[in-house]
Amino acid sequence: MKIEAERTFAQPREVVWERLMDFSVLERTLPGIESLEPVDEDTCKLTVKVLVPSITGKYDGTVTVRTRDPLDSYELRGDAKGRLGWVRGDARFELTDTDDGTQVAAAMNFQAGGVLSGVGQRFMEGMAK
């Protein structure tokens, strides 16, 4: 499944980049994240709690920064498993200056297996966004 999204932040690109590279900031701001525990500079352990009917549960995995072009773009690879299935995917984020601050464009591609793969596309898209 592919998902694309854009969001503009009223901050300079340097500030947005710094926040996106900080696992502790992401842990506090992303819905469903119970923990992002750094393993090294580019990898962290991930625990997500999903509260969606038929797939409610805890999922554990990793998130790794695969490439980074400071202030311009970076790519992540993630995977998580739980008792109802698994999900893995890649995401690319591009930052550009705008009159209002910094626009972040995200392109994500992910796959799911187990019970998760049987959940309707709209639920999976909502979780990914």
Side-chain angles (χ1 to χ4, degrees), residues 59 80 82-88 110-118 124:
Y59 298 84
R83 66 179 181 84
L84 297 176
W86 55 268
V87 64
R88 69 174 160 247
F110 66 94
Q111 301 169 320
V115 174
L116 290 176
S117 66
M124 294 303 285

Side-chain angles (χ1 to χ4, degrees), residues 1 8 19 38 41 53 58 76 81-82 92 95 111 118 125 128:
M1 179 178 308
T8 301
R19 298 294 193 277
E41 183 179 321
K58 217 180 246 194
L76 298 176
K81 296 177 185 174
R92 178 169 174 78
L95 288 71
Q111 301 169 320
E125 285 182 12

